[in-house]
Amino acid sequence: MDRIRIRGGKTLKGEIRISGAKNAALPLMCTALLTDKEIRFDRVPDLADITTMTNLLAQHGVEVTTKLSGKERSVTLCGSNITDTTAPYDLVRKMRASVLVLGPLVARHGQARVSLPGGCAIGTRPVDLHIKGLQQLGAEIDLQEGYIVARAPKGLTGAEVTFPKVSVGATENLLMAAALAKGETHLINAAREPEITDLAKCLIGMGAKIEGLGTDHLKIQGVDSLHGVNHPVVADRIEAGTYAMAVAITNGDVELIGAQHDLIGSVTSVMSQAGVEFSETPRGLRVKRTNGDLVGVDVMTEPFPGFPTDLQAQVMALMTTAQGASMITETIFENRFMHVPELTRMGASINVHGASAMVRGVKRLTGAPVMATDLRASVSLVLAGLVAEGDTILNRVYHLDRGYERLTHKLSACGAEIERLSDGAAE
Ligand code: EPZ
């Protein structure tokens, strides 16, 4: 199994190109199930989760073609011949975003059988909001042998759906389904993440009628059919935030090419308070420390436009060597502190009390063999490794392959001493 070795202490200098967002590309690819016309997405990141989604769509009968031009990948999808409306357990278990095929399949094909995803490393993560919302649009849904079995032989009908809790995935599933429902749908208390706005823009490009982009109230007027589109995937704000923290933790100076400041306002605000300077450039965002040490700042994760849960582990790594204390509170997922014991093994001082972690800055971290059980926890250990004294060996690299395109290349091009080892040695 591959591992990553990092020799800490190098300062990052130069530039890093931000990829298209994984969490935008995954729902976008599902729109292929809504039309028989060809759809092309540019700037699709080369990630394990994208491969899983490609395999799932192919199993439904979608034709998928991938093209590389320079470092950018475009993916063309054509769902003119859907042959199978089942999303099997083996694929859904691998990647929860597979549940995003449910809305499009039932909206256009009148039926879907999608495995229930079950819990995962960061929490129980139910899909009740996806199911209830689709039922409100008229789908008949049963749970049979671990599968969500949905039927709407006469199509879906628009309705007013008020989400009791903000959910990115449920908003995306309902938005896609409502695009083809008869009449008007209101999604109230909808998630406002930029990936949802990107999905809405793509759907509008396909002929959907959607108002309220970027707000918590989306109004969708259903149409009979949708057509093809050519859509570029929005920049990955979580990748941009992660590299901004890598720059800050190493006291570096890097331009993040393609990073969009307006998508990470809550992140730059926290980091600015901690002593990091951001300046917009014609190509993106330049990051460096204001001067001197980082200082501890309190952070609470919230739905967009709040501080993203997907950057909580990374900001915790950043705070481990800051001056003073930092209280980090996770409000989205109930079990997203798996990085804490590993950071502690590297010398960090962190105490967890319920949903909050108190980080007391230490003078230095030391390298250690570490591993984590999810994507963002894993990358937080990479950040810690970049500043730790000595070698950090990160196991279970496959988590990083799910969400960070060419991570070791991007960091080593800026001077980090980081390499991937594929010697097959035991964890
Ligand atoms: C998306 O997951 C992202 N995944 C996650 O990114 C991200 O952490 C999360 O949104 C929050 O921002 C993708 O976009 C593919 P939710 P999603 O539905 O849609 C509860 C990463 O590292 N909930 O917004 O699954 C749920 O348990 C990942 O890239 C219900 O109770 O998240 C959670 O507590 C991991 N019932 C909260 O809502 C439901 O039916 C928010 O989850 C659905 C969700």
Side-chain angles (χ1 to χ4, degrees), residues 204-220:
I204 290 170
M206 294 168 70
K209 297 199 171 117
I210 305 169
E211 290 173 26
L213 270 62
T215 75
D216 63 357
H217 183 163
L218 294 166
K219 183 172 136 190
I220 305 112

Side-chain angles (χ1 to χ4, degrees), residues 382-395:
V382 172
L383 300 191
L386 289 174
V387 74
E389 273 177 17
D391 282 6
T392 294
I393 306 280
L394 179 76
N395 289 291

